[in-house]
Amino acid sequence: MHRGNVASKGPLTPTHVWRQPPRLLIVDAALPSWAIVCSNLCEALQNFFSLACSLEGPSRMPLFSMYVVQSQHECILPFVQVKGNFARLQACISELRLVPREGIYPSQRSCLNLAVQDGLQQFKQYSRHVMVDVAPSSTSVEITVLTCQPGKEIVKQLEGELQDTDIVSLRRLQVTEISKGDALESMDSSPSQDPVEEFGSDECSILGTDIDLQIIENDTVSIESFFKAWLQDNGTDQEHLHLLLPLPCFSSFSSASSEPMCLKCDLQERLLNPALLPGTAESTLTADNPRGDFSSFYQMAPQSAASCYRLQVIKALKSSGVCESVTYGLPFIIRPTSCWQLDWDELETNQQRFHALCHSLQKREWLLLAKGEPPSPGPSQRGPTSTFYIIFPSSSLTMLVKAVATCELLLPNAFPLPSEDPPEHVLQSVESTLDGLEVESAYNPLQVKGRLYEHLRSLLSKPQGLVTPARELRPPRQAGRLHPHRARATVFPLPLVSTPTPSRAHKMPAAKKASAEPVPALSDDEDRLL
């Protein structure tokens, strides 16, 4: 959830806003699949970074690095701050386009393992020499392996090869398989010699760190949506919102306690606030509120990282009796929390109750009216103004929440009724015009594009155009000419040596035990690109 600076409440510190980890992307450019996914992946990355580099407010994606793996692994982008580095990110994408798409290579899957180890080593150097005054969550990195090869095989391979790797700074490891589609089905029709045993992501763990597996379609929108998830606050250190319901709502779950039932939820944005983007129609709403916090739903931003916003359900509403004009602001999604500090039984019970609530509301065609209850003030202080929200259920394990207008905000309007029916000839003319329109059964916003990415790229690029680094002027690489272990980093690259096997005490998630030890930054000579 975006929790921007609010003029009436004062600025929020970065620890209260985004707790995103640094991200390392490892692109597995295995042939011949790479030729099919290269264009879509590069276009999705270009669109994503034009958006990420343009968002106002606190950085939603602090650090990013990229490796490419073919016959060897190569760092094509060391860790850099995303904001203010659009030209460098564009150059990295241009270099990714130059990776050979044709040729025959022997299987070199161990290069993925080396890329993970090299990326962890690079991050340790960066955090030791460069990162100062950062949020504590930045002491661990999240690694994503993007591949066209069977994801389960990659997971098993990494699980075995990383057993002896020091992963104390690894927050999460994810394998994302890009579906190759029908184009390669004939090429892969031969049966595998060693079929992979079916298993779930919860069975893949290395020293206590799960390897997540995800499969996405090979199209620009799907790949782009995968990267956009990096802009959301997916922190699991605490739940974001408590939804309080009276006990009669769940008679089957009733207990001797007289306390209202509390559903613990996580809160996520449904839409990016257009006011956070430069040059849009909503980016200059008012002089007093230039960033459009009115539509960013700032009422739900707690004043403290330890606090949790509370919604008290007041009554149920029939969905047919709610006018959409009384809701305002951008919608947000609530879902059962995934906070790691809760035990498994509580998480499961909370999810079951959330699911039961969604199912019951849909069955009855009801909406919920809730009143916001931020942390209560002291006895001598006056409470804040009341805010109200409408909660819309869905068939998925999520609900939509939107702010609702109160009496104080409504302006008088006249709604005159027509005195008689329109003339028949006018009615027929209008109906004939309407019959000529194309009719869609549902509205899909993914099919509506406003040329936003092109607009943002034109703003981020320099007036004379994007400056291309000298290395981009060289001819395309020949097949198999990736430079091994090359790291153009802002810190001294250490030789990739085997590290001693960490003790089993390192099974705890890295984000909870890694410590940040500020060290003076490198000198000018040391800070040069190698």
Side-chain angles (χ1 to χ4, degrees), residues 169-183:
S169 58
L170 178 61
R171 179 188 182 100
R172 180 177 179 234
L173 179 59
Q174 180 182 35
V175 174
T176 301
E177 176 188 346
I178 301 180
S179 174
K180 293 179 290 188
D182 298 332

Side-chain angles (χ1 to χ4, degrees), residues 336-482:
T337 185
S338 57
C339 176
W340 63 267
Q341 300 191 55
L342 303 180
D343 58 59
W344 287 108
D345 292 338
E346 185 177 0
L347 284 173
E348 184 177 6
T349 301
N350 184 74
Q351 186 177 44
Q352 291 174 350
R353 292 177 175 179
F354 192 97
H355 186 196
L357 177 60
C358 291
H359 179 77
S360 300
L361 291 177
Q362 278 205 310
K363 183 179 179 180
R364 302 186 183 196
E365 296 184 347
W366 282 4
L367 309 178
L368 294 179
L369 178 64
K371 179 181 178 181
E373 292 187 358
S376 57
S380 61
Q381 300 177 356
R382 298 184 59 186
T385 58
S386 298
T387 53
F388 297 86
Y389 305 92
I390 288 184
I391 300 174
F392 301 80
S394 70
S395 55
S396 62
L397 203 61
T398 59
M399 290 189 286
L400 201 68
V401 56
K402 289 195 69 175
V404 63
T406 58
C407 176
E408 297 90 338
L409 297 178
L410 291 178
L411 297 175
N413 281 278
F415 303 97
L417 297 176
S419 57
E420 57 184 10
D421 294 336
E424 186 65 25
H425 69 282
V426 177
L427 182 61
Q428 292 179 357
S429 175
V430 173
E431 289 184 346
S432 176
T433 302
L434 294 177
D435 290 338
L437 295 177
E438 181 181 357
V439 180
E440 293 285 351
S441 58
Y443 173 73
N444 185 0
L446 294 178
Q447 298 177 349
V448 182
K449 296 184 178 180
R451 302 182 62 85
L452 176 62
Y453 297 133
E454 294 86 344
H455 168 71
L456 296 177
R457 283 197 292 269
S458 65
L459 294 178
L460 291 168
S461 301
K462 295 183 179 181
Q464 66 271 21
L466 184 63
V467 178
T468 304
R471 64 175 180 269
E472 298 301 335
L473 301 178
R474 65 177 183 265
R477 298 186 183 95
Q478 298 178 1
R481 292 304 298 272
L482 282 174

Side-chain angles (χ1 to χ4, degrees), residues 215-293:
I215 301 177
I216 59 177
E217 296 296 326
N218 180 24
D219 60 81
T220 304
V221 174
S222 298
I223 301 175
E224 185 182 308
S225 298
F226 169 77
F227 291 128
K228 281 183 178 178
W230 291 354
L231 301 178
Q232 292 181 313
D233 184 6
N234 295 317
T236 58
D237 293 339
Q238 68 173 58
E239 60 270 22
H240 301 161
L241 179 144
H242 288 175
L243 185 63
L244 307 178
L245 298 105
L247 284 177
C249 288
F250 282 92
S251 57
S252 59
F253 291 103
S254 61
S255 61
S257 174
S258 59
E259 295 293 327
M261 175 165 292
C262 175
L263 297 184
K264 298 181 178 181
C265 310
D266 291 336
L267 190 67
Q268 286 188 340
E269 285 172 302
R270 182 64 181 91
L271 297 171
L272 282 173
N273 187 354
L276 299 175
L277 296 171
T280 59
E282 299 183 28
S283 62
T284 55
L285 296 180
T286 64
D288 296 334
N289 191 14
R291 299 287 15 116
D293 287 316

Side-chain angles (χ1 to χ4, degrees), residues 278-344:
T280 59
E282 299 183 28
S283 62
T284 55
L285 296 180
T286 64
D288 296 334
N289 191 14
R291 299 287 15 116
D293 287 316
F294 167 79
S295 58
S296 67
F297 219 11
Y298 68 85
Q299 298 99 324
M300 280 195 168
Q303 289 294 306
S304 170
S307 62
C308 185
Y309 200 85
R310 294 157 62 92
L311 290 183
Q312 174 66 59
V313 174
I314 300 176
K315 61 181 66 175
L317 306 173
K318 289 188 175 181
S319 57
S320 59
V322 176
C323 179
E324 293 185 4
S325 64
V326 301
T327 61
Y328 65 90
L330 297 179
F332 279 74
I333 284 178
I334 56 175
R335 62 185 64 192
T337 185
S338 57
C339 176
W340 63 267
Q341 300 191 55
L342 303 180
D343 58 59
W344 287 108

